[in-house]
């Protein structure tokens, strides 16, 4: 079957990797922040896992560095239609944090909290089994403040609003409740391949 290659700004490797309605943003990385960018020293940062867990646990920057590191190599997708291909983030898997805290049987959702007050909700199943990280490096360099440094959440298989910048707390809950953007019209789950952009989308 003949294939006609039309004019395209897309890099060849974007074929098949762009979810519907997304474009390849190339080398750029847009910044999307609802609040003022906080300047948080690594030494002042910590993350807590609490709510419906057997062992509520808080890790400081030094303590999180002692955990086994884990990297993500792949793409990220923003609901504003940019996709960034071939990103590399390094941090720790949420599986590691959750295993330490011990989710209770009733825990079914996670509310991710930023130290700024930003929140986003996720089914527990979307942040377990190697699907989510807290990360402090992008392309081998410390994550910059504008992109959520020192440490942000990374849930790359969902639209990027789920990846809370300046992450400080993961609260395990039984009943789903909307976070910041989910209360402002965004879809509850946000799967880019299903184009779950806004409430009412599939
Ligand atoms: N704390 C916080 N986290 C946030 C946001 C925000 O406004 N505040 N914006 C979200 C949205 S809509 C997107 S697309 C990504 C943007 O991340 P970036 O600025 O690193 O591209 O962060 C997400 N996490
Ligand atoms: Mo976004």
């Amino acid at each position: 079957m003949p294939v006609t290659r039309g004019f395209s700004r897309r890099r060849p490797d974007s074929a098949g990797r762009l979810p519907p309605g997304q474009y390849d943003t190339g080398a750029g990385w847009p910044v999307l922040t609802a609040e003022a960018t906080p300047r948080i020293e690594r030494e002042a940062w910590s993350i807590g896992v609490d709510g419906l867990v057997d062992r509520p646990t808080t890790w400081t920057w030094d303590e999180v560095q002692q955990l086994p590191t884990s990297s993500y190599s792949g793409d990220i997708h923003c609901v504003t239609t940019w996709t960034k291909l071939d990103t590399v983030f390094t941090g720790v898997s949420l599986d590691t944090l959750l295993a330490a805290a011990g989710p209770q049987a009733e825990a079914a959702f996670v509310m991710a909290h930023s130290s700024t007050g930003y929140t986003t909700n996720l089914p527990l199943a979307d942040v377990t089994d190697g699907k989510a990280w807290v990360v402090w490096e992008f392309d081998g360099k410390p994550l910059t403040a504008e992109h959520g440094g020192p440490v942000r959440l990374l849930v790359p298989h969902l639209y990027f609003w789920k990846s809370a910048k300046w992450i400080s707390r993961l609260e395990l809950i039984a009943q789903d409740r909307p976070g910041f953007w989910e209360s402002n019209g965004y879809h509850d789950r946000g799967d880019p391949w299903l184009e779950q952009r806004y409430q009412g989308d599939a």
Side-chain angles (χ1 to χ4, degrees), residues 9-133:
R9 288 174 203 277
R10 290 175 188 171
R11 291 182 284 157
D13 64 353
S14 71
R17 291 172 60 181
L18 290 173
Q22 296 293 110
Y23 75 95
D24 177 358
T25 191
W29 185 4
V31 172
L32 285 116
T33 304
E35 67 273 42
T37 295
R39 304 287 157 175
I40 304 164
E41 298 299 323
R42 286 179 158 184
E43 293 67 32
W45 173 87
S46 67
I47 186 165
V49 178
D50 60 27
L52 297 174
V53 295
D54 288 337
R55 297 170 297 277
T57 307
T58 301
W59 291 265
T60 63
W61 168 258
D62 286 338
E63 288 166 343
V64 105
Q65 301 304 302
Q66 306 304 313
L67 301 172
T69 57
S70 175
S71 291
Y72 167 74
S73 299
D75 310 334
I76 55 176
H77 314 284
C78 174
V79 71
T80 61
T81 74
W82 57 263
T83 283
K84 185 168 175 55
L85 300 172
D86 298 318
T87 66
V88 181
F89 289 92
T90 300
V92 61
S93 171
L94 247 59
D95 291 314
T96 303
L97 302 182
L98 292 169
Q104 295 174 353
E106 318 85 79
F109 296 89
V110 176
M111 186 65 82
H113 298 261
S114 302
S115 53
T116 54
Y118 181 92
T119 53
T120 188
N121 57 306
L122 298 132
L124 193 53
D126 272 319
V127 298
T128 48
D129 296 326
K131 292 195 289 293
W133 292 259

